[in-house]
C-alpha cells in the first residue's frame, strides 16, 4: 500500500449540535504517504486521538471518506484495515514469554515457524530485547513491557500503517530519549507509514518527517520540523513550537511597513491592506531577532538568560515584553540596546493566519 487519503473527514460527537465550532475534528483532506513518519501534535483535547481513531477504524467519521490506495475503507473495522497500533499503556500477555508475545501477531496470521522466528529475532534486535526473549513478560518493568508493545506493533511487515498514541507516557524520562531515537531508526529500517500522537513538541519534532499541528479540532499546519520553526503559518504554531515561542505583536500594516509597539517596522515585502475589522499582527522568532549595543529599533533590556547554547534577553518593546537573542561576543551595557529583526523571517498574520506579501 502506498498511501492513506482522507477526503473531507470530520467528527461530531454531539449529533444534536450543528454548530461547526462543536466539531471535535473540523473538515480535513490529507494524504499520508508510505515510508513517511508523521506526528500529530497539539494540546489536550485538540482532536489528535480522534483523528488517529478515524484512520484506525475505531470510530467512523461523521463526514468524509478514507481510502487505502483506491479502496474505500470508511466503514471497515480495524481488523479489516490491516493496521498495527501501540497505545499509552502496554498491551501484552503476562503469561507468555517475551518471544511468544512478539510472535503472537505473526502466528495469528499463520506465518510459517521459521519466518516467525526470523522476524521476532529481527525486531528484538532493533529494540534491544534479545536478552529478554526467553523471560516471562510478567516480571518485567513498565518500560520493558512497553518496548514489547512497540515490538508487537512493529513485527508485522505487511501492515498498511503503524499508529502510536502517546506510546512513551509510561517510559522513564531517562529512557525516553533512547526509545525515541530507536523508533526513528526503526522507521528508517522498515520503510513503513507511521503516525505518532503526542502533546510533547520534542517527541513530535524528533520523530517525524512531517508534523501535523492541531488546535481546537483544526489542523493548522502540516510541515517538516524545520519549516514549522522557520515559517509558522499560524500564530499558534509560532507560539507552541520553539522555546521561547514566537514574538507576536498587534500591528497596523501598510504596504511594506508595519506600525507596532510605537515603532515603524520594515517588513521586507509589500502587503495588501487587511480587511477592516480583522486582527493584524506581526510575528518573529527570538532566534531571528538580535540585540546589539546600538543600531536597529531602540529597546530596553529587562534581563538576560544564559541558556548555554544561546543567550535570550527579555526586552521591553513599546508596551510589550518580547524575547530576542544576544549573540555571543556581544556585550550590552545598561538597559539601552538596539534590536535588529531579520526581514525574511518577519511575518504578517491576519486573524492568526499568515498572509503573504509581494517582493517590494
Ligand atoms: P488528549 O491529548 O487529551 O488525549 P486529544 O488531542 O487526543 O486529547 P481527543 O481525545 O481527540 O483529543 O478529543 C477531542 C475532543 O473530542 C475533546 O473535546 C474531547 O472531549 C471530545 N471527545 C473525545 N472522545 C469523545 C467521545 N467518545 N464522546 C464525546 N466527546 C469526545
Amino acid at each position: 500500500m502506498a498511501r492513506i487519503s482522507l477526503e473531507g473527514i470530520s467528527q461530531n460527537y454531539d449529533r444534536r449540535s450543528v454548530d461547526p465550532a462543536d466539531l471535535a475534528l473540523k473538515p480535513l483532506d490529507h494524504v499520508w504517504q508510505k515510508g513517511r513518519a508523521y506526528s500529530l501534535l497539539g494540546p489536550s483535547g485538540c482532536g489528535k486521538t480522534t483523528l488517529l481513531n478515524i484512520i484506525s477504524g475505531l470510530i467512523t467519521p461523521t463526514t468524509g471518506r478514507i481510502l487505502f490506495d483506491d479502496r474505500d475503507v470508511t466503514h471497515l473495522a480495524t481488523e479489516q484495515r490491516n493496521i498495527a497500533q501501540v497505545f499509552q499503556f502496554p498491551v501484552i500477555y503476562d503469561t507468555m514469554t517475551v518471544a511468544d508475545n512478539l510472535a503472537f501477531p505473526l502466528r495469528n496470521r499463520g506465518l510459517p515457524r521459521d519466518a516467525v522466528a526470523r522476524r521476532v529475532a529481527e525486531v528484538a534486535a532493533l529494540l534491544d530485547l534479545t536478552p529478554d526473549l526467553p523471560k516471562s513478560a510478567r516480571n518485567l518493568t513498565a518500560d520493558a513491557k512497553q518496548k514489547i508493545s512497540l515490538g508487537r506493533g512493529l513485527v508485522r511487515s505487511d501492515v498498511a500503517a503503524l499508529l502510536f498514541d502517546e506510546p512513551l507516557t509510561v517510559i522513564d524520562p531517562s529512557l525516553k530519549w533512547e526509545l525515541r531515537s530507536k523508533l526513528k531508526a526503526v522507521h528508517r529500517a522498515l520503510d513503513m507509514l507511521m503516525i505518532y500522537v503526542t502533546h510533547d513538541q520534542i517527541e513530535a519534532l524528533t520523530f517525524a518527517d512531517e508534523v501535523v499541528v492541531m488546535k481546537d479540532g483544526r489542523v493548522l499546519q502540516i510541515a517538516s520540523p524545520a519549516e514549522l520553526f522557520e515559517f509558522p503559518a499560524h500564530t499558534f504554531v509560532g507560539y507552541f513550537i520553539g522555546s521561547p515561542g514566537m514574538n507576536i505583536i498587534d500591528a497596523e500594516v501598510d504596504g511594506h511597513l508595519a506600525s507596532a509597539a510605537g515603532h515603524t517596522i520594515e517588513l521586507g515585502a509589500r502587503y495588501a491592506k487587511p480587511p477592516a475589522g480583522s486582527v493584524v499582527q506581526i510575528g518573529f522568532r527570538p532566534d531571528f531577532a538580535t540585540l546589539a549595543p546600538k543600531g536597529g529599533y531602540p529597546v530596553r533590556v529587562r534581563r538576560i538568560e544564559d541558556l548555554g547554547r544561546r543567550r535570550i534577553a527579555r526586552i521591553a518593546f513599546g508596551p510589550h515584553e518580547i524575547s530576542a537573542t544576544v549573540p555571543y561576543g556581544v556585550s550590552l551595557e545598561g538597559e539601552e540596546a538596539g534590536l535588529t529583526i531579520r526581514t525574511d523571517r518577519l511575518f504578517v498574520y491576519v486573524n492568526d493566519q499568515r498572509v503573504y506579501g509581494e517582493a517590494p
Side-chain angles (χ1 to χ4, degrees):
M1 204 205 60
R3 66 185 177 276
I4 295 178
S5 311
L6 306 183
E7 295 180 352
I9 293 294
S10 75
Q11 179 62 24
N12 182 2
Y13 287 112
D14 180 2
R15 306 252 165 168
R16 290 161 308 175
S17 166
V18 288
D19 185 349
D22 288 340
L23 292 176
L25 186 66
K26 314 283 191 286
L28 172 65
D29 294 279
H30 186 60
V31 179
W32 315 85
Q33 301 286 357
K34 179 175 184 268
R36 305 283 288 166
Y38 300 87
S39 297
L40 308 185
L41 173 68
S44 183
C46 71
K48 306 180 292 292
T49 300
T50 299
L51 178 51
L52 200 74
N53 288 347
I54 286 173
I55 296 168
S56 72
L58 284 176
I59 53 181
T60 307
T62 313
T63 64
R65 298 199 307 163
I66 307 162
L67 304 175
F68 282 19
D69 286 338
D70 294 324
R71 191 165 75 111
D72 186 337
V73 301
T74 315
H75 297 284
L76 294 188
T78 307
E79 307 79 70
Q80 296 165 293
R81 294 192 187 188
N82 199 20
I83 288 266
Q85 298 182 81
V86 180
F87 299 97
Q88 271 189 0
F89 298 102
V91 179
I92 60 166
Y93 296 103
D94 261 354
T95 50
M96 293 185 186
T97 62
V98 173
D100 286 338
N101 263 289
L102 293 179
F104 192 83
L106 300 176
R107 290 190 185 132
N108 230 0
R109 296 180 85 80
L111 230 73
R113 271 175 92 102
D114 54 338
V116 172
R118 219 176 316 122
R119 187 67 183 167
V120 166
E122 228 171 76
V123 168
L126 278 173
L127 290 171
D128 290 335
L129 279 171
T130 309
D132 293 329
L133 283 175
K135 292 184 191 160
S136 160
R138 187 188 308 274
N139 300 321
L140 297 176
T141 61
D143 296 330
K145 286 184 179 173
Q146 187 62 340
K147 267 207 219 175
I148 301 170
S149 280
L150 290 171
R152 284 166 54 95
L154 295 168
V155 78
R156 282 173 48 211
S157 54
D158 63 335
V159 291
L162 178 49
L163 311 181
F164 302 93
D165 196 349
E166 308 250 9
L168 303 186
T169 307
V170 296
I171 302 290
D172 188 87
S174 60
L175 285 175
K176 273 190 185 181
W177 188 86
E178 187 199 321
L179 260 186
R180 233 172 30 220
S181 34
K182 192 131 277 170
L183 273 179
K184 184 92 195 152
V186 166
H187 177 252
R188 276 192 217 106
L190 299 184
D191 191 34
M192 290 164 104
L193 164 55
M194 295 188 181
I195 306 177
Y196 186 111
V197 162
T198 178
H199 59 265
D200 179 322
Q201 64 158 295
I202 308 275
E203 247 170 62
L205 300 180
T206 46
F207 175 76
D209 301 313
E210 280 177 75
V211 182
V212 179
V213 184
M214 300 179 70
K215 183 171 179 280
D216 300 334
R218 184 172 302 127
V219 170
L220 301 180
Q221 189 170 5
I222 304 178
S224 70
E227 218 175 317
L228 291 179
F229 184 77
E230 292 197 44
F231 305 102
H234 191 278
T235 52
F236 179 78
V237 177
Y239 151 84
F240 194 64
I241 308 265
S243 177
M246 187 178 228
N247 300 304
I248 298 162
I249 302 171
D250 288 344
E252 277 174 33
V253 168
D254 188 5
H256 67 288
L257 297 176
S259 310
H263 295 278
T264 299
I265 294 173
E266 173 62 51
L267 291 171
R270 182 171 289 281
Y271 289 84
K273 200 168 175 54
S278 43
V279 176
V280 182
Q281 293 167 307
I282 56 168
F284 52 95
R285 291 202 179 274
D287 313 71
F288 303 123
T290 47
L291 289 178
K294 283 199 181 69
Y297 307 104
V299 295
R300 298 184 87 80
V301 178
R302 294 211 168 128
R303 61 177 188 281
I304 297 177
E305 287 168 30
D306 197 331
L307 306 177
R309 250 175 349 114
R310 56 192 190 138
R311 288 187 298 165
I312 294 289
R314 292 296 291 170
I315 57 180
F317 190 55
H320 302 276
E321 188 171 274
I322 63 167
S323 302
T325 299
V326 187
Y328 279 105
V330 167
S331 64
L332 300 174
E333 302 282 329
E335 288 188 348
E336 308 293 322
L339 174 73
T340 303
I341 305 167
R342 251 180 77 173
T343 50
D344 60 344
R345 294 294 183 278
L346 170 58
F347 307 123
V348 175
Y349 296 89
V350 174
N351 296 332
D352 291 316
Q353 288 292 340
R354 183 175 165 204
V355 293
Y356 294 82
E358 285 178 8

